[in-house]
Amino acid sequence: MHADRDGRDTGGSGGGSTLLSEAREDAVAPYAEGDPILQVRGLAKHYPLTQGILFKRQIGAVRAVDGVDFDLHAGETLGIVGESGCGKSTVAKMLVHLERPTAGSIRYKGEDISRLSGRALKAVRRNIQMVFQDPYTSLNPRMTVGDIIGEPYEIHPEVAPKGSRRQKVQDLLDVVGLNPEYINRYPHQFSGGQRQRIGIARGLALNPEIIVADEPVSALDVSVQAQVVNLLDRLQAEFSLSFVFIAHDLSIVRHISDRVGVMYLGRIVEIGSDAEIYDHPTHPYTQALLSAVPVPDPSAREHRERIILHGDVPSPANIPSGCRFRTRCWKAQERCELEVPLLAVPAVFRSADTPARHDSACHFAEEKRVVPPEGEREGPSPDAPGRGGPAVEDLPGPGEPRAGRLPEEDGTPSQQEDGTP
Amino acid sequence: MLLEVRDLHVEFHTREGVAKAVNGVNYSVAEGETLAVLGESGSGKSVTAQAIMGILDMPPGKIAGGEILFKDQDLLKLKPEERRRIRGQEMAMIFQDALSSLNPVLTVGQQLGEMFVVHRGMSRKDAKAKSVELMDRVRIPAAKERVNQYPHQFSGGMRQRIMIAMAMALEPSLIIADEPTTALDVTVQAQVMDLLAELQREYNMGLILITHDLGVVADVADKIAVMYAGRIVETAPVHEIYKAPAHPYTKGLLRSIPRLDQKGRELYAIKGLPPNLTRIPPGCAFNPRCPIARDVCRTDVPPLYEVDAGRRSACHFWKETLDAR
């Protein structure tokens, strides 16, 4: 697999390099090493609501995504969390061009891909692949595993010449921890976790640089979830992939992400490194979301303050004025109704040197720790020996937010599914 | 004891052979107590609940043995009419997917009122007034107006509240909730769980909470039964199981979930997959996936050893597991 990647980078990607040179002419700023690989600005998707059968009039719009900004750096995992209907999946679809944005731009290596079409689009798509949520419906039941994983090569034949495809598919099966001999089997012969591995292998087939994963583990059983999360972690290191990881499960997002963005009703309300968001949240919605997550430890219950939000998320067809969270916010004041809060470092923290100094779209941002640090809890957790030591580690000192994830050797065994259906 | 399940066996006759979904389950629930039944898909947790409620599809399902004692009478020996009377009045069930459990062409008021019309012989008008009262009690805003709306006009959390209202309608002494919050968002999940716990306290009901989510259980349960391949592998009071699991499966599950308050590192993963229920491995069903399995595990089915008062573990090496944390 390493050879593949190198091969492509040097000579194999004729289509890709010509595209880049064409694009450079009209790009605003040339892409330089170290720039974000993906820059999303003002991204919006509005679905029109119409009335009448013959003469359709637009009577409104569902503003599923309504102005989303973020950067994705090479080799990084950006987690996007939010409740259902917040627009996180629509963002994913726009990133891989399954939906066309109503407004805004998606710059891949400095070039806006949101308006591309035809050959230019096809070349870009090769580098941004998607892993879907439901491994039961995202695989064609009438195709063999080999055909499913090999299908991307039909569309991008330059990646793998016809003769070598079968071998490549078998390599991919091996990479995701499935037996290469299963190449002629059908999806129904595999379990949920194994199917998700097939979906991941398909996503990897074209050696993409970015993988957009939309709830890749939420359909799986707990014991299988861990296997797939570990696989994604390993693949990222092995192929230096950049991940956009979309999920509603805050614990899994923390586990896998370097940076996290919290979405509410079509907008990102808070974004920062994982420690900034989980240990130093400043937006009331993030705080409520974090406090609502059940922690599998009854003794943690006494140490946690629960913020229970009232009511439901408003309809995206009828978004409240000003701050869109104000209808459920306990801090809301008149200003929240009149003025839309921008996603920026709140004024109170602007000059402070704390991890609370990160982008948060709230007029009354205030740090509040809702997830207790490990050390504060009584009673060892079941895995105390492995986790007990670095208890203080989750409390970064001022001014040293924990960037990047350090794989730590703590003797935790990693095991793979044995690959037998 | 309000409910006692004794050595229950349930089989499904399929084309591939006999799937043994439940293989000798024992558990009990007292009044005012919450028992959480934890397990992955295919562990038999829902099938046990369906057998208790008497809503198992038979055939292909078949209760192959055991007793279900509810208020000291064996439900399995009752006539269908007698069971129907108990269902709804004495015990009720809340399902995971409220949208598909509600009838889309009837208003929620009609569906809630039906309970009173059928079981209590009330007039439609009185039943409707009762429905409004119930909807108020589960804190659905503007209950008077919303009683005439259809299920699709409610949000997921509100629909689950209606399901709870329906289960509570006749004030049963036992409620079985099968994954009641799995389909809901976290912020709504907390609201619904709180409501359920509050109503349970108020009416001193027994509650069986079926779930796969170790986190949800930690906040509300009194005791936990962990199921694997149709058997209970561990039962314990809720505090102890999280502190010191006595079965390798429970231990693996607890270690394999990422936690909000703990970052990074590779997750522990239980190797392999749950067994096919038509071919459960001999000996301990967990042995092919168990990190400490030895020869005896491949031949002898472990009984539920008594670990401590109120604690049992179906592992030959429970002591080792408990000590080696």
Side-chain angles (χ1 to χ4, degrees), chain B residues 130-172:
Chain B
K130 270 288 210 184
S131 310
V132 174
E133 202 180 291
L134 271 175
M135 284 170 70
D136 263 335
R137 204 182 303 160
V138 294
R139 286 189 228 108
I140 293 176
K144 253 208 177 89
E145 290 82 56
R146 303 208 73 177
V147 72
N148 293 321
Q149 292 188 341
Y150 291 88
H152 74 266
Q153 292 169 293
F154 290 81
S155 68
M158 287 295 153
R159 282 198 285 257
Q160 201 54 281
R161 281 164 196 269
I162 290 165
M163 290 298 290
I164 292 174
M166 208 179 272
M168 300 288 310
L170 304 173
E171 297 176 18

Short mmCIF file of all heavy atoms in Angstrom, two decimals, chain B residues 130-172:
data_model
loop_
_atom_site.label_atom_id
_atom_site.label_comp_id
_atom_site.label_asym_id
_atom_site.label_seq_id
_atom_site.Cartn_x
_atom_site.Cartn_y
_atom_site.Cartn_z
N LYS B 130 -59.02 12.18 30.24
CA LYS B 130 -57.95 11.44 30.91
C LYS B 130 -56.65 11.55 30.12
O LYS B 130 -55.56 11.67 30.69
CB LYS B 130 -58.35 9.96 31.02
CG LYS B 130 -59.10 9.63 32.29
CD LYS B 130 -58.16 9.67 33.47
CE LYS B 130 -58.55 8.73 34.58
NZ LYS B 130 -57.64 8.89 35.74
N SER B 131 -56.77 11.49 28.78
CA SER B 131 -55.59 11.58 27.92
C SER B 131 -54.87 12.91 28.12
O SER B 131 -53.64 12.96 28.19
CB SER B 131 -55.96 11.45 26.44
OG SER B 131 -56.77 10.34 26.23
N VAL B 132 -55.67 13.98 28.20
CA VAL B 132 -55.08 15.30 28.39
C VAL B 132 -54.32 15.34 29.72
O VAL B 132 -53.19 15.83 29.80
CB VAL B 132 -56.16 16.40 28.36
CG1 VAL B 132 -55.58 17.75 28.69
CG2 VAL B 132 -56.84 16.42 27.00
N GLU B 133 -54.94 14.75 30.73
CA GLU B 133 -54.32 14.69 32.05
C GLU B 133 -52.97 13.96 31.99
O GLU B 133 -51.97 14.42 32.54
CB GLU B 133 -55.29 13.94 32.96
CG GLU B 133 -55.14 14.18 34.44
CD GLU B 133 -56.19 13.35 35.16
OE1 GLU B 133 -57.39 13.66 35.06
OE2 GLU B 133 -55.79 12.37 35.82
N LEU B 134 -52.99 12.82 31.28
CA LEU B 134 -51.76 12.03 31.14
C LEU B 134 -50.68 12.81 30.41
O LEU B 134 -49.51 12.80 30.80
CB LEU B 134 -52.05 10.77 30.32
CG LEU B 134 -52.49 9.53 31.06
CD1 LEU B 134 -52.83 8.45 30.07
CD2 LEU B 134 -51.39 9.04 31.99
N MET B 135 -51.08 13.51 29.34
CA MET B 135 -50.10 14.26 28.56
C MET B 135 -49.50 15.38 29.39
O MET B 135 -48.34 15.71 29.27
CB MET B 135 -50.73 14.80 27.28
CG MET B 135 -50.92 13.70 26.23
SD MET B 135 -51.92 14.21 24.83
CE MET B 135 -50.85 15.36 24.01
N ASP B 136 -50.32 15.96 30.26
CA ASP B 136 -49.81 16.96 31.19
C ASP B 136 -48.77 16.36 32.11
O ASP B 136 -47.74 16.94 32.39
CB ASP B 136 -50.97 17.51 32.06
CG ASP B 136 -51.51 18.81 31.50
OD1 ASP B 136 -50.74 19.48 30.79
OD2 ASP B 136 -52.68 19.13 31.76
N ARG B 137 -49.08 15.16 32.56
CA ARG B 137 -48.20 14.53 33.53
C ARG B 137 -46.83 14.19 32.94
O ARG B 137 -45.83 14.22 33.63
CB ARG B 137 -48.86 13.27 34.10
CG ARG B 137 -48.30 12.94 35.46
CD ARG B 137 -48.89 11.68 36.04
NE ARG B 137 -50.33 11.71 36.14
CZ ARG B 137 -51.06 10.59 36.25
NH1 ARG B 137 -50.50 9.41 36.23
NH2 ARG B 137 -52.36 10.66 36.35
N VAL B 138 -46.79 13.86 31.66
CA VAL B 138 -45.49 13.61 31.04
C VAL B 138 -44.93 14.91 30.43
O VAL B 138 -44.02 14.89 29.62
CB VAL B 138 -45.53 12.49 29.99
CG1 VAL B 138 -45.84 11.16 30.65
CG2 VAL B 138 -46.53 12.79 28.90
N ARG B 139 -45.51 16.02 30.84
CA ARG B 139 -45.02 17.37 30.50
C ARG B 139 -44.95 17.63 29.01
O ARG B 139 -43.94 18.06 28.49
CB ARG B 139 -43.66 17.62 31.16
CG ARG B 139 -43.87 17.85 32.63
CD ARG B 139 -42.63 18.32 33.32
NE ARG B 139 -42.46 17.52 34.51
CZ ARG B 139 -41.54 16.59 34.67
NH1 ARG B 139 -40.65 16.37 33.74
NH2 ARG B 139 -41.47 15.91 35.77
N ILE B 140 -46.04 17.35 28.36
CA ILE B 140 -46.17 17.78 26.97
C ILE B 140 -46.87 19.13 27.00
O ILE B 140 -47.98 19.23 27.52
CB ILE B 140 -46.96 16.76 26.14
CG1 ILE B 140 -46.15 15.47 26.04
CG2 ILE B 140 -47.29 17.31 24.76
CD1 ILE B 140 -46.84 14.35 25.34
N PRO B 141 -46.22 20.19 26.49
CA PRO B 141 -46.83 21.50 26.58
C PRO B 141 -48.10 21.59 25.74
O PRO B 141 -48.23 20.89 24.73
CB PRO B 141 -45.75 22.46 26.06
CG PRO B 141 -44.68 21.62 25.49
CD PRO B 141 -44.90 20.20 25.88
N ALA B 142 -49.03 22.42 26.16
CA ALA B 142 -50.30 22.65 25.47
C ALA B 142 -51.03 21.34 25.19
O ALA B 142 -51.48 21.08 24.07
CB ALA B 142 -50.06 23.42 24.17
N ALA B 143 -51.13 20.50 26.20
CA ALA B 143 -51.73 19.18 26.03
C ALA B 143 -53.15 19.26 25.47
O ALA B 143 -53.54 18.43 24.64
CB ALA B 143 -51.73 18.43 27.36
N LYS B 144 -53.90 20.25 25.88
CA LYS B 144 -55.30 20.36 25.45
C LYS B 144 -55.43 20.45 23.94
O LYS B 144 -56.32 19.85 23.35
CB LYS B 144 -55.93 21.60 26.09
CG LYS B 144 -56.90 21.25 27.19
CD LYS B 144 -57.98 22.30 27.35
CE LYS B 144 -58.97 21.86 28.41
NZ LYS B 144 -58.57 22.31 29.75
N GLU B 145 -54.51 21.22 23.34
CA GLU B 145 -54.58 21.37 21.88
C GLU B 145 -53.93 20.16 21.19
O GLU B 145 -54.42 19.67 20.19
CB GLU B 145 -53.86 22.64 21.42
CG GLU B 145 -54.56 23.94 21.79
CD GLU B 145 -54.28 24.38 23.23
OE1 GLU B 145 -53.09 24.52 23.56
OE2 GLU B 145 -55.24 24.53 24.01
N ARG B 146 -52.83 19.70 21.76
CA ARG B 146 -52.05 18.68 21.08
C ARG B 146 -52.69 17.30 21.13
O ARG B 146 -52.28 16.40 20.41
CB ARG B 146 -50.64 18.64 21.65
CG ARG B 146 -49.96 20.01 21.54
CD ARG B 146 -48.48 19.91 21.43
NE ARG B 146 -48.08 19.43 20.12
CZ ARG B 146 -46.82 19.31 19.75
NH1 ARG B 146 -45.85 19.61 20.57
NH2 ARG B 146 -46.52 18.87 18.54
N VAL B 147 -53.68 17.14 21.98
CA VAL B 147 -54.32 15.83 22.09
C VAL B 147 -54.98 15.43 20.77
O VAL B 147 -55.13 14.24 20.46
CB VAL B 147 -55.31 15.82 23.28
CG1 VAL B 147 -56.55 16.64 22.95
CG2 VAL B 147 -55.70 14.40 23.66
N ASN B 148 -55.31 16.41 19.96
CA ASN B 148 -55.95 16.11 18.68
C ASN B 148 -54.97 16.00 17.52
O ASN B 148 -55.38 15.91 16.37
CB ASN B 148 -56.98 17.20 18.36
CG ASN B 148 -58.14 17.15 19.34
OD1 ASN B 148 -58.58 16.07 19.73
ND2 ASN B 148 -58.61 18.31 19.75
N GLN B 149 -53.69 16.05 17.82
CA GLN B 149 -52.71 15.96 16.73
C GLN B 149 -52.30 14.51 16.49
O GLN B 149 -52.50 13.63 17.32
CB GLN B 149 -51.49 16.80 17.08
CG GLN B 149 -51.81 18.29 17.09
CD GLN B 149 -50.57 19.14 17.24
OE1 GLN B 149 -49.54 18.66 17.68
NE2 GLN B 149 -50.69 20.40 16.88
N TYR B 150 -51.67 14.32 15.31
CA TYR B 150 -51.23 12.98 14.92
C TYR B 150 -49.76 12.78 15.30
O TYR B 150 -49.02 13.77 15.42
CB TYR B 150 -51.43 12.81 13.41
CG TYR B 150 -52.89 12.76 13.06
CD1 TYR B 150 -53.60 13.93 12.80
CD2 TYR B 150 -53.57 11.55 13.03
CE1 TYR B 150 -54.95 13.89 12.50
CE2 TYR B 150 -54.92 11.50 12.75
CZ TYR B 150 -55.61 12.67 12.48
OH TYR B 150 -56.94 12.62 12.23
N PRO B 151 -49.32 11.52 15.41
CA PRO B 151 -47.94 11.27 15.84
C PRO B 151 -46.88 12.03 15.04
O PRO B 151 -45.90 12.50 15.61
CB PRO B 151 -47.79 9.76 15.66
CG PRO B 151 -49.15 9.22 15.86
CD PRO B 151 -50.09 10.27 15.33
N HIS B 152 -47.07 12.19 13.73
CA HIS B 152 -46.01 12.82 12.94
C HIS B 152 -45.85 14.29 13.28
O HIS B 152 -44.87 14.92 12.91
CB HIS B 152 -46.28 12.66 11.44
CG HIS B 152 -47.38 13.53 10.91
ND1 HIS B 152 -48.68 13.09 10.80
CD2 HIS B 152 -47.37 14.82 10.50
CE1 HIS B 152 -49.42 14.08 10.32
NE2 HIS B 152 -48.66 15.13 10.14
N GLN B 153 -46.82 14.87 13.99
CA GLN B 153 -46.71 16.28 14.35
C GLN B 153 -45.91 16.51 15.62
O GLN B 153 -45.73 17.63 16.05
CB GLN B 153 -48.12 16.88 14.49
CG GLN B 153 -48.85 16.96 13.15
CD GLN B 153 -50.32 17.29 13.31
OE1 GLN B 153 -51.08 16.49 13.84
NE2 GLN B 153 -50.71 18.46 12.87
N PHE B 154 -45.43 15.42 16.21
CA PHE B 154 -44.63 15.54 17.42
C PHE B 154 -43.16 15.25 17.12
O PHE B 154 -42.85 14.50 16.20
CB PHE B 154 -45.13 14.53 18.46
CG PHE B 154 -46.48 14.86 19.04
CD1 PHE B 154 -47.65 14.56 18.34
CD2 PHE B 154 -46.58 15.49 20.26
CE1 PHE B 154 -48.88 14.87 18.87
CE2 PHE B 154 -47.81 15.80 20.79
CZ PHE B 154 -48.97 15.50 20.09
N SER B 155 -42.28 15.82 17.95
CA SER B 155 -40.85 15.51 17.80
C SER B 155 -40.56 14.16 18.44
O SER B 155 -41.40 13.61 19.15
CB SER B 155 -40.03 16.60 18.48
OG SER B 155 -40.23 16.53 19.87
N GLY B 156 -39.35 13.65 18.20
CA GLY B 156 -38.98 12.33 18.72
C GLY B 156 -39.12 12.22 20.22
O GLY B 156 -39.66 11.25 20.74
N GLY B 157 -38.65 13.25 20.94
CA GLY B 157 -38.72 13.22 22.39
C GLY B 157 -40.17 13.24 22.87
O GLY B 157 -40.53 12.54 23.81
N MET B 158 -41.01 14.05 22.19
CA MET B 158 -42.42 14.15 22.58
C MET B 158 -43.15 12.84 22.32
O MET B 158 -44.00 12.41 23.09
CB MET B 158 -43.10 15.28 21.79
CG MET B 158 -42.69 16.66 22.23
SD MET B 158 -43.22 16.97 23.93
CE MET B 158 -42.02 18.15 24.43
N ARG B 159 -42.79 12.19 21.20
CA ARG B 159 -43.43 10.90 20.89
C ARG B 159 -43.07 9.87 21.95
O ARG B 159 -43.90 9.07 22.35
CB ARG B 159 -42.95 10.40 19.52
CG ARG B 159 -43.62 11.10 18.38
CD ARG B 159 -43.47 10.32 17.10
NE ARG B 159 -42.13 10.45 16.58
CZ ARG B 159 -41.78 11.23 15.56
NH1 ARG B 159 -42.69 11.95 14.94
NH2 ARG B 159 -40.54 11.30 15.15
N GLN B 160 -41.80 9.91 22.41
CA GLN B 160 -41.41 8.95 23.43
C GLN B 160 -42.16 9.25 24.73
O GLN B 160 -42.54 8.34 25.46
CB GLN B 160 -39.90 8.95 23.61
CG GLN B 160 -39.31 7.71 24.25
CD GLN B 160 -39.68 6.41 23.57
OE1 GLN B 160 -40.77 5.89 23.76
NE2 GLN B 160 -38.80 5.86 22.76
N ARG B 161 -42.44 10.53 24.98
CA ARG B 161 -43.24 10.89 26.16
C ARG B 161 -44.66 10.32 26.04
O ARG B 161 -45.25 9.88 27.02
CB ARG B 161 -43.35 12.40 26.30
CG ARG B 161 -42.12 13.03 26.90
CD ARG B 161 -42.11 14.52 26.66
NE ARG B 161 -40.78 15.03 26.91
CZ ARG B 161 -40.37 15.49 28.09
NH1 ARG B 161 -41.21 15.54 29.09
NH2 ARG B 161 -39.15 15.90 28.27
N ILE B 162 -45.19 10.34 24.83
CA ILE B 162 -46.53 9.78 24.63
C ILE B 162 -46.51 8.28 24.90
O ILE B 162 -47.42 7.73 25.53
CB ILE B 162 -47.05 10.11 23.22
CG1 ILE B 162 -47.34 11.61 23.15
CG2 ILE B 162 -48.29 9.30 22.88
CD1 ILE B 162 -47.52 12.14 21.78
N MET B 163 -45.45 7.62 24.44
CA MET B 163 -45.32 6.18 24.71
C MET B 163 -45.29 5.93 26.22
O MET B 163 -45.88 4.97 26.72
CB MET B 163 -44.03 5.64 24.10
CG MET B 163 -44.01 5.59 22.59
SD MET B 163 -45.28 4.51 21.94
CE MET B 163 -44.64 2.91 22.44
N ILE B 164 -44.56 6.79 26.92
CA ILE B 164 -44.48 6.63 28.38
C ILE B 164 -45.86 6.85 28.99
O ILE B 164 -46.31 6.08 29.84
CB ILE B 164 -43.43 7.60 28.98
CG1 ILE B 164 -42.03 7.19 28.52
CG2 ILE B 164 -43.51 7.61 30.50
CD1 ILE B 164 -40.93 8.16 28.92
N ALA B 165 -46.55 7.88 28.52
CA ALA B 165 -47.90 8.17 29.03
C ALA B 165 -48.81 6.97 28.82
O ALA B 165 -49.59 6.59 29.69
CB ALA B 165 -48.47 9.40 28.33
N MET B 166 -48.68 6.36 27.66
CA MET B 166 -49.54 5.22 27.33
C MET B 166 -49.24 4.04 28.25
O MET B 166 -50.15 3.35 28.72
CB MET B 166 -49.27 4.84 25.87
CG MET B 166 -50.44 4.22 25.19
SD MET B 166 -50.00 3.86 23.49
CE MET B 166 -50.42 5.36 22.72
N ALA B 167 -47.95 3.83 28.51
CA ALA B 167 -47.58 2.73 29.40
C ALA B 167 -48.05 3.00 30.83
O ALA B 167 -48.45 2.09 31.55
CB ALA B 167 -46.06 2.53 29.37
N MET B 168 -48.03 4.26 31.23
CA MET B 168 -48.39 4.64 32.59
C MET B 168 -49.90 4.69 32.81
O MET B 168 -50.36 4.74 33.95
CB MET B 168 -47.87 6.05 32.92
CG MET B 168 -46.40 6.24 32.82
SD MET B 168 -45.60 5.42 34.16
CE MET B 168 -46.56 6.05 35.51
N ALA B 169 -50.66 4.73 31.71
CA ALA B 169 -52.07 5.09 31.77
C ALA B 169 -52.83 4.36 32.88
O ALA B 169 -53.55 4.97 33.65
CB ALA B 169 -52.72 4.85 30.42
N LEU B 170 -52.68 3.05 32.96
CA LEU B 170 -53.47 2.28 33.92
C LEU B 170 -52.69 1.99 35.19
O LEU B 170 -53.04 1.10 35.96
CB LEU B 170 -53.95 0.99 33.26
CG LEU B 170 -54.75 1.19 31.97
CD1 LEU B 170 -55.04 -0.13 31.31
CD2 LEU B 170 -56.03 1.94 32.23
N GLU B 171 -51.62 2.76 35.39
CA GLU B 171 -50.79 2.62 36.59
C GLU B 171 -50.39 1.17 36.86
O GLU B 171 -50.74 0.59 37.88
CB GLU B 171 -51.49 3.26 37.80
CG GLU B 171 -51.67 4.74 37.58
CD GLU B 171 -52.45 5.42 38.69
OE1 GLU B 171 -52.56 4.84 39.77
OE2 GLU B 171 -52.94 6.53 38.45
N PRO B 172 -49.65 0.58 35.94
CA PRO B 172 -49.21 -0.81 36.12
C PRO B 172 -48.15 -0.90 37.21
O PRO B 172 -47.56 0.11 37.59
CB PRO B 172 -48.61 -1.16 34.76
CG PRO B 172 -48.11 0.14 34.23
CD PRO B 172 -49.05 1.19 34.74
#
